[in-house]
Amino acid sequence: MADSFLILAQAGANSPLGVFGFLAMLVAIMYFVMIRPQQKQIKEHRNLLAGLKKGDDVMTSGGILGRIHQVDDSTVTLEVASGVRVRVLKSAVTAKGTIPVAGAPAATPAEKKEEK
């Protein structure tokens, strides 16, 4: 039994170059699968926050839908209903544009043309 372990140990003794190559391959896979997409998503979010202006329809990370009334350095004032304004952190804004609301009637093709 001990002889079989010795044979397996000798058979598994690869060169250090092979081990480093395997580790480099693992790091490359992790970069392309996890790190690169996350950096791309962060860059898109920064561009979204930089492009916020008065009158944009936005959604926050808490699910609040509203139209931007005022933009400051770190906060955004949203008008969520007529005359009702809420201040939120700028970083809490997650989406921009017309956001469909469940239960609301869909825009007709004529309304879509008017928006453009």
Side-chain angles (χ1 to χ4, degrees):
M1 185 73 162
D3 293 332
S4 62
F5 286 122
L6 290 174
I7 293 170
L8 288 175
Q10 290 173 354
N14 294 334
S15 68
L17 186 60
V19 173
F20 289 124
F22 180 72
L23 288 175
M25 184 179 68
L26 281 178
V27 169
I29 289 171
M30 293 297 285
Y31 174 77
F32 285 108
V33 171
M34 294 178 67
I35 297 169
R36 189 169 176 232
Q38 182 68 23
Q39 288 176 341
K40 186 176 179 182
Q41 186 179 21
I42 290 170
K43 183 178 178 182
E44 289 173 358
H45 189 250
R46 283 184 186 150
N47 291 338
L48 169 82
L49 296 180
L52 293 177
K53 62 186 182 303
K54 184 176 180 177
D56 288 343
D57 289 330
V58 295
M59 181 176 78
T60 67
S61 59
I64 298 173
L65 302 173
R67 181 165 285 136
I68 295 178
H69 178 74
Q70 182 180 1
V71 179
D72 295 328
D73 291 338
S74 62
T75 62
V76 175
T77 304
L78 299 178
E79 187 166 357
V80 295
S82 183
V84 179
R85 296 185 182 140
V86 178
R87 280 181 53 205
V88 296
L89 289 175
K90 201 175 198 181
S91 60
V93 175
T94 58
K96 178 178 166 182
T98 305
I99 299 154
V101 178
T108 63
E111 290 174 347
K112 289 181 181 178
K113 288 181 183 177
E114 290 176 9
E115 290 178 0
K116 293 179 182 180

